[in-house]
Amino acid sequence: MSERDQDRRPPEAAALRQRHAARAESAAARAAALSHYIERRGSAAESEDSTARAEAAWKSAHAARVAAGALAVIAESAPDPAADSRCARNAAASAAQAARMGRLVDGDTEPSVAACTAALTASLAASAAAGAGHLGANAALNAEADDTEKHAVAAAERAGWIQPGEKIPSVSTGVRSGEVMSMMHL
């Protein structure tokens, strides 16, 4: 995209990008932290559940990669509220998948159920904000998505999936081909 094309973008596109990127970054960090948590739990677990734990570890690691990929797309493209909100939606959906694996590993304890529910709620709110009728620009839906993401982080902390102040492990995004990008609706 040329400088002239970027100048034609409405000024609010940059502000919306910051908002969507912050939400995507938070969701990607939740997914990465949860993947790391599941890895640690799996290595310390009994061998009787090794297949289920290995599957949970693989699925949470994959979710963390997809979330990191969605965040990378925001960083690599020009501001576009619709595309940026889809990236935030994809990151939130991936974090919800990782939360389901966290619940699988931790069982139906109150904190893990609450954290999983909060992650699913954040994913649904991000999806609504990115919906076709709103294209990532609806202020009320974006505010709800921001709020539910904060609640998902707090619930993940209460479940012990995220340690406040802990350095989030980096996650490789893997290879992102054009086909994969189009499958992710980016």
Side-chain angles (χ1 to χ4, degrees):
M1 175 175 274
S2 71
E3 270 185 50
R4 189 173 60 199
D5 290 338
Q6 285 181 345
D7 291 341
R8 291 182 192 164
R9 295 244 182 230
E12 62 271 6
L16 285 169
R17 160 157 285 187
Q18 288 178 336
R19 197 168 187 178
H20 295 309
R23 200 165 57 247
E25 184 175 8
S26 176
R30 275 192 300 120
L34 193 43
S35 176
H36 187 63
Y37 171 83
I38 291 170
E39 250 180 53
R40 287 190 317 245
R41 288 282 310 247
S43 64
E46 307 280 321
S47 61
E48 64 189 47
D49 254 5
S50 64
T51 303
R53 289 187 184 277
E55 184 175 340
W58 183 88
K59 285 183 178 181
S60 65
H62 179 68
R65 281 190 300 276
V66 171
L71 183 59
V73 169
I74 291 176
E76 296 168 356
S77 61
D80 179 345
D84 296 343
S85 67
R86 286 191 304 270
C87 289
R89 173 203 63 200
N90 292 346
S94 296
Q97 174 64 23
R100 290 185 67 220
M101 295 305 100
R103 182 175 174 185
L104 179 73
V105 168
D106 282 355
D108 288 335
T109 64
E110 188 277 324
S112 72
V113 170
C116 188
T117 300
L120 292 171
T121 301
S123 177
L124 290 172
S127 180
H134 308 290
L135 303 174
N138 182 294
L141 292 175
N142 284 330
E144 182 178 348
D146 293 346
D147 189 45
T148 58
E149 176 59 33
K150 289 175 188 167
H151 287 296
V153 169
E157 288 175 351
R158 285 190 299 276
W161 296 347
I162 298 174
Q163 301 302 316
E166 178 183 36
K167 183 174 174 4
I168 302 298
S170 64
V171 175
S172 168
T173 59
V175 176
R176 293 188 329 271
S177 71
E179 288 178 14
V180 171
M181 302 293 277
S182 68
M183 287 174 21
M184 293 173 63
H185 304 287
L186 302 173

